[in-house]
Amino acid sequence: MKVFALVFLLISWSLSAAAQSYPSRTVKIIVPFPVGGVADIYGRIIAARLSETWSQPVVVENRTGAGGNIGADLVAKSPPDGYALVIGTIGTHAVNVSLFSKMPYDPVRDFAPIALILEAEGLLVVHPSVPAHSVPELIAYARANPGKLSFASAGMGTASHLAGELFKSMAKVDMTHIPYKGNVPALTDLLAGQTSLIFATMPTVLPHAKAGKLRPLATIGAVRPAAAPELPTVAEAALPGFEVTNWVGFFAPAGAPDDIVRRWNLETQRIMQSPEIQGRLLNEGARFIPMTPAQFGAFVKAEIAKWAPVVRASGARVD
């Protein structure tokens, strides 16, 4: 027993010493989606600021595919030393476990939750060719033309996919889902008229709506955001109870030292609460909610429980 106790003390001392000297080399932030999405944008903002603060490179790598599962799994199986983190999302850490028949990781068991980065409100926007200027008009057109409309998404299991499936189910309409590898290619095809509509985060789609290239019909959260107070929510316009809010946050592999987890949590809060970032979030229809690692972990578990019945009810499944 004394030998085991000594080994445990040596391991604990080693982890503590490593945390005190952290970071001593390049840190990787894995974004499991392509460049240009909200996870990528804010991952790069935080990485740049931490590189300056820590005088060590903090770099972003985009590892895409399988609704974010490829990038998330890469971090889940990385050494738990704080040098590889993932920006998980509502998809990778709440929805995919119910959507995919086979998951390469467990979103709770295989990760150490660090911090919520932001919650992003979304917009329902249509291509100008769609003859609808309100949510009731869109529903009426979809019912009169079953299967004619298509909705783009950033990929299977993403918030944009889930919102579309929830809309189909609640509105009782038939629309074709067209998944893309990220918001940027999805928006590119929507702008070209290759698809009919999208439910996308405001930071990525609001500029196109303001430019008149896409027609915004409603916001998809619980309340009207300050960035677009003139637009009704889908719930108040036609479908009471409809609510989808995308979120992104930092996760480390399970077993990461508590000191490093706490350091990342505090640094994330410092950056996201800065006046510059707060102003940007307000303009983009997003918000930062300070959480401890334990609170963020509880939030993730609640999100998994919340969306499991929604995914089942939608009938969406990835084999």
Side-chain angles (χ1 to χ4, degrees):
M1 292 295 292
K2 291 182 179 180
V3 173
F4 286 118
L6 179 60
V7 170
F8 175 78
L9 287 173
L10 288 173
I11 292 174
S12 299
W13 178 86
S14 176
L15 290 174
S16 178
Q20 290 175 12
S21 63
Y22 177 90
S24 59
R25 54 186 171 86
T26 299
V27 180
K28 292 183 180 180
I29 297 175
I30 301 299
V31 174
F33 299 99
V35 173
V38 67
D40 179 76
I41 291 170
Y42 281 90
R44 292 180 186 278
I45 289 173
I46 294 172
R49 298 204 173 191
L50 288 182
S51 294
E52 295 178 0
T53 300
W54 291 345
S55 298
Q56 290 288 348
V58 180
V59 301
V60 171
E61 290 188 6
N62 300 84
R63 298 294 187 92
T64 65
N69 285 352
I70 290 177
D73 186 50
L74 176 65
V75 172
K77 293 177 171 57
S78 294
D81 54 11
Y83 287 93
L85 282 72
V86 65
I87 296 186
T89 68
I90 185 177
T92 61
H93 282 75
V95 175
N96 285 3
V97 70
S98 297
L99 182 66
F100 285 76
S101 59
K102 295 180 181 179
M103 284 288 287
Y105 60 85
D106 185 296
V108 174
R109 183 193 62 222
D110 295 336
F111 293 91
I114 294 176
L116 181 73
I117 297 174
L118 61 82
E119 287 188 341
E121 292 288 354
L123 283 180
L124 163 56
V125 296
V126 299
H127 186 266
S129 63
V130 176
H133 291 76
S134 68
V135 178
E137 287 182 6
L138 178 65
I139 293 173
Y141 181 79
R143 288 176 177 171
N145 299 273
K148 185 174 182 178
L149 295 178
S150 60
F151 74 95
S153 81
M156 301 296 291
T158 60
S160 52
H161 174 209
L162 184 67
E165 295 292 348
L166 185 61
F167 186 87
K168 285 172 56 179
S169 176
M170 293 184 68
K172 296 179 173 57
V173 297
D174 178 19
M175 301 189 301
T176 302
H177 174 221
I178 310 295
Y180 290 82
K181 295 182 178 180
N183 272 313
V184 173
L187 285 172
T188 298
D189 269 13
L190 177 60
L191 289 166
Q194 299 300 312
T195 55
S196 309
L197 58 99
I198 193 171
F199 301 82
T201 55
M202 292 185 74
T204 55
V205 78
L206 190 57
H208 300 293
K210 287 183 175 180
K213 297 178 181 179
L214 297 173
R215 183 186 305 131
L217 300 186
T219 57
I220 65 175
V223 297
R224 298 188 183 195
E230 73 283 2
L231 292 176
T233 65
V234 171
E236 65 180 300
L239 302 175
F242 185 97
E243 178 189 349
V244 179
T245 301
N246 193 15
W247 57 263
V248 299
F250 278 125
F251 296 84
D258 289 343
D259 289 352
I260 291 177
V261 169
R262 285 194 296 270
R263 187 171 184 185
W264 268 93
N265 178 273
L266 292 174
E267 291 287 3
T268 300
Q269 292 196 47
R270 177 183 65 82
I271 293 169
M272 296 304 296
Q273 288 178 316
S274 67
E276 177 190 349
I277 297 300
Q278 285 293 302
R280 178 169 181 161
L281 291 174
L282 182 64
N283 290 332
E284 294 177 344
R287 59 184 173 270
F288 171 70
I289 302 174
M291 293 184 186
T292 65
Q295 289 171 334
F296 184 41
F299 170 81
V300 170
K301 291 178 181 178
E303 285 287 282
I304 292 172
K306 172 184 176 179
W307 290 114
V310 176
V311 173
R312 285 196 297 270
S314 74
R317 194 70 175 169
V318 180
D319 294 321

